[in-house]
Amino acid sequence: MADYEPTIIAFVCNWCTYTAADLAGTSRLVQPANVRMVRMMCTGMVDPKYIIKALLEGADAVLVSGCHPGDCHYINGNLKARRRMKLLKEILPKFGFDERRLKMTWIGASEGIDFAETIRKMTAEVKVLGQNDLRTRMVL
Amino acid sequence: MSKIGKIAVRDRDPVSSLQDFLKLLLEKGTVEAVLVQQRLPINNSVMPALVTDVEKLGWADPLAPAFPLNAARMLSRLTRKPLDAPIAAVMRPCEIRAFIELVKLKQGSAENVILISADCLGAYGNTDYAKVSGLGAGTQSTLAFHRNVISGKGTATEDADISAACKSCEHPVADNADVTIGLLGTNLEESLILIANTQKGRKLLDDLGVKEEDESLDLRRKAVEGLLSERVAYRDRMFERTSAAVSDMEKLMNYLGACVNCYNCRVACPVCYCRECVFTTDVFDHEPAQYLRWAKRKGALKMPTDTVFYHLTRLAHMSAACIGCGQCSNACPNEVPVMELFRTVAHGVQGVFGYSAGASLEEEPPLSVFHEKEFSEVTGGID
Ligand code: SF4
Ligand code: SF4
Ligand code: FES
């Protein structure tokens, strides 16, 4: 079980983390291939239902990553996203989801190394948590 | 600001005395219309009605222990554009609280509205109320209900009892209304208490010529405290039971097992504020081939799909605003205990954000304010 390859769905902001991920790639930084990235115009656009759906479909973890506070191109989309994450971290554990399956980070466009490191760490953490079995189970 | 007055009860009938009080509002021209629960002549049920004719207030039954729907939605329809003249809305505390949430969500305005609310001793769900109201013509069942409750006989009849939402409600008194009509701690067959909580409410009582009384509210306070401790105890047991019943996905699915995705709970919910719910848009008209792909991955696909998804999304979208009226459960054709689930989660969510839904117009809804330095634990301590 410890050996499974987790699937991480990452909702990343076009202006920062997405660029950082691109930079990590072009810099040929070694990073695990566990992330499926969804590029958003801003983390403020990440509705809680996207995250809920990802988990119900069997994602082992969800990452939301945007611009550092003060750097959001839409002024405060990232701060809205943080409140929504807080909300989900309150709600979802009530139904047995480990809150460590929900992660949020600030990663700026130039922080490719930081991105690769975040993914490496997160993949390792989620491996320990074990697989989300909803992927292959019937969910009502 | 607050002013205390009295409504004298004639013929030991608090309902007709309240009707007289409301008639006065129209007669004096203080308001142009009264939104109030009205007894329907047809089958002795009650519904909110917008009344302009004084005589028609003879059908008003604001104390009927019924809550066919949350009237905040109706008041929001009336106030989504500015009103030319003031109206009065006589609503339950949970309806006042829902309306306050809707005003904050820009789906109504309190500007030209005078909110009046009587202490709420509870209400029966729609199917149960039909059994209760049939016990006598007109307002007889209302009078019998209040007599029983105030004298300590309780709310249960042979085959019905007030809803679980009411039994667990810790807001039986609306001190956020402009005028509160106090039943608790009074002898209902003699007099009711009038309390103006706001400038608007005070002006109303002044305009109607209500005399200021220097009555002690001690009895009332005691009665309210007693009711609250019962309600809170019931509520906490309900939270505990519900939390245990949904503590993992298996259990949650079991809990929601009877749900058929009719979305009645959302339609009935006064604070489910989206004009168009995503679950009824074509986002959920999945491609036929998509259903097959899902079925192949999981071996079997329950249809309709997305039941748990729907409820979790609704929780994420509106639990911060849930005022606990129980209309969701009232509307469910399949007896899914929706209210218990939503209230339990809402209690935690509102706790996290230090918010009390419906309490006041000043408190800002948690998902509409955000600060640069807060909740740094979400981002690993970095903000
Ligand atoms: S979720 Fe249920 S209890 Fe809460 S406000 Fe909506 S209808 Fe009322
Ligand atoms: S009203 Fe009942 S059956 Fe309909 S969607 Fe809500 S919980 Fe499901
Ligand atoms: S633009 Fe990057 S988080 Fe808003």
Side-chain angles (χ1 to χ4, degrees), chain A residues 13 15-16 41-44 66-67 72-74 77-78:
Chain A
C13 164
W15 303 105
C16 51
M41 283 306 282
C42 172
T43 53
C67 311
C72 172
H73 286 50
Y74 308 95
N78 49 357

Side-chain angles (χ1 to χ4, degrees), chain A residues 47 53 57 82-83 86 134, chain B residues 317 366 371-372 374 377:
Chain A
D47 189 279
K53 182 67 172 169
E57 288 301 321
R82 180 169 59 189
R83 279 214 167 201
K86 180 73 192 170
L134 295 178
Chain B
H317 283 173
H371 308 287
E372 195 155 324
E374 63 174 8
E377 70 279 10

Side-chain angles (χ1 to χ4, degrees), chain B residues 332-344:
Chain B
C332 178
N334 297 311
E335 292 183 27
V336 176
V338 197
M339 176 282 295
E340 285 84 339
L341 173 62
F342 277 67
R343 277 218 63 194
T344 302

Side-chain angles (χ1 to χ4, degrees), chain B residues 261-318:
Chain B
N261 291 43
C262 68
Y263 306 138
N264 284 0
C265 45
R266 158 185 88 67
V267 176
C269 176
V271 297
C272 233
Y273 52 87
C274 293
R275 309 289 298 191
E276 187 180 36
C277 175
V278 63
F279 283 90
T280 55
T281 63
D282 53 13
V283 171
F284 285 85
D285 285 341
H286 306 301
E287 283 298 314
Q290 176 70 60
Y291 289 109
L292 280 170
R293 277 197 296 276
W294 278 323
K296 276 187 186 146
R297 168 147 57 84
K298 302 199 179 216
L301 181 71
K302 180 264 189 181
M303 294 184 78
T305 57
D306 300 310
T307 305
V308 172
F309 184 30
Y310 159 69
H311 287 283
L312 290 182
T313 300
R314 208 168 83 80
L315 279 169
H317 283 173
M318 54 57 66

Side-chain angles (χ1 to χ4, degrees), chain B residues 7 13-23 62-63 118 181 183 192 194:
Chain B
I7 298 180
D13 181 346
V15 176
S16 56
S17 309
L18 261 180
Q19 289 170 354
D20 292 348
F21 174 75
L22 297 177
K23 283 179 183 170
L63 301 184
I181 297 168
L183 312 181
L192 311 175
L194 279 171

